[in-house]
């Protein structure tokens, strides 16, 4: 009985130490994240030094919520700084490393936006279509994605496909939604150019 109590006490102490260390690690990561100038308005968006600092936090504190946020924010900073290939790598790494994170849909949209910004329109369209299917029940994700698919279809001289995406958005019938409003405006312009649609 005494040996069992000692073993239970040791296990309890180890668990407590691990939980305390994890909590301290998370607090340190949060503190480091809040010290990055771009997060408190000290730097312009797309600042290379902010991206570097954020990547450092994500590498120093992997597995923490602040480390995950730092990686996603670093990808955003790289994108805004015009470093689309590097941003795509970080968005992809975030999606792979934090597959259960609630922000994975945003990382997937980031990947598609990076592909589009690099001129890889076919790959971007495929990524946007994949997002449209995977997150079909999440209007906050698919509504802007459908608008983008419509815009890319227009640019690719596929007005019939563009009209389909725009109609899907118009059918939401929310005049306060800026994406729906833009879809309606684009739809009107497109139909004026192509009355057959």
């Amino acid at each position: 009985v005494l040996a069992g109590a000692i073993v239970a006490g040791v296990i309890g102490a180890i668990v407590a130490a691990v939980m305390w260390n994890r909590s301290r690690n998370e607090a340190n990561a949060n503190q480091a994240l809040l010290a990055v100038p771009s997060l408190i308005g000290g730097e312009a968006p797309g600042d290379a030094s902010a991206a570097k600092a954020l990547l450092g936090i994500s590498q120093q504190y992997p597995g923490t919520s602040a480390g995950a946020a730092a990686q996603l924010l670093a990808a955003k900073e790289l994108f805004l700084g015009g470093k689309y290939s590097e941003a795509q790598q970080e968005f992809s790494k975030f999606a792979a490393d934090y597959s259960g994170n609630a922000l994975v849909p945003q990382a997937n949209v980031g990947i598609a936006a990076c592909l589009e910004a690099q001129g890889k329109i076919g790959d971007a369209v495929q990524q946007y279509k994949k997002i449209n299917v995977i997150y079909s029940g999440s209007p906050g994700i698919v509504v802007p994605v459908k608008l983008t698919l419509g815009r890319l279809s227009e640019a690719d001289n596929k007005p019939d496909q563009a009209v389909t995406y725009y109609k899907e958005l118009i059918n939401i019938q929310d005049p306060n939604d800026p994406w729906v409003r833009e879809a309606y405006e684009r739809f009107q312009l497109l139909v004026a150019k192509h009355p057959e649609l």
Side-chain angles (χ1 to χ4, degrees):
V1 173
L2 182 61
I6 292 171
V7 168
V10 169
I11 290 172
I14 291 171
V15 168
V18 167
M19 288 176 61
W20 177 81
N21 189 44
R22 188 174 296 152
S23 176
R24 188 184 74 193
N25 198 35
E26 188 72 51
N28 290 341
N30 286 332
Q31 187 176 9
L33 185 59
L34 291 173
V36 176
S38 69
L39 297 181
I40 54 175
E43 301 292 335
D47 180 60
S49 63
K52 184 177 179 181
L54 290 163
L55 286 173
I57 293 167
S58 73
Q59 291 165 1
Q60 186 175 357
Y61 300 103
T64 64
S65 59
Q71 185 167 9
L72 194 59
L73 289 168
K76 180 197 83 158
E77 291 293 330
L78 290 166
F79 181 85
L80 293 174
K83 297 180 178 177
Y84 306 122
S85 178
E86 292 174 46
Q88 181 185 344
Q89 288 174 341
E90 293 306 322
F91 282 127
S92 297
K93 190 172 186 304
F94 178 90
D97 292 351
Y98 299 100
S99 59
N101 193 296
L103 296 175
V104 168
Q106 283 80 0
N108 284 320
V109 171
I111 293 167
C114 289
L115 289 166
E116 183 182 349
Q118 293 174 78
K120 300 176 181 177
I121 304 303
D123 293 339
V125 167
Q126 291 309 310
Q127 179 71 11
Y128 284 125
K129 284 182 177 179
K130 183 174 107 177
I131 292 165
N132 193 32
V133 170
I134 294 172
Y135 304 110
S136 61
S138 302
I141 300 297
V142 298
V143 168
V145 163
K146 283 182 181 180
L147 182 64
T148 302
L149 283 167
R151 181 179 50 77
L152 291 175
S153 296
E154 270 190 84
D156 197 25
N157 201 25
K158 296 178 180 172
D160 52 333
Q161 287 181 9
V163 162
T164 301
Y165 288 118
Y166 296 151
K167 278 184 178 177
E168 287 177 22
L169 293 175
I170 293 167
N171 286 335
I172 294 173
Q173 296 180 352
D174 182 356
N176 298 320
D177 187 318
W179 307 108
V180 172
R181 215 170 29 247
E182 185 175 343
Y184 181 71
E185 291 167 8
R186 286 181 168 274
F187 173 79
Q188 286 184 316
L189 291 171
L190 193 57
V191 170
K193 274 200 249 180
H194 300 276
E196 74 277 6
L197 296 173

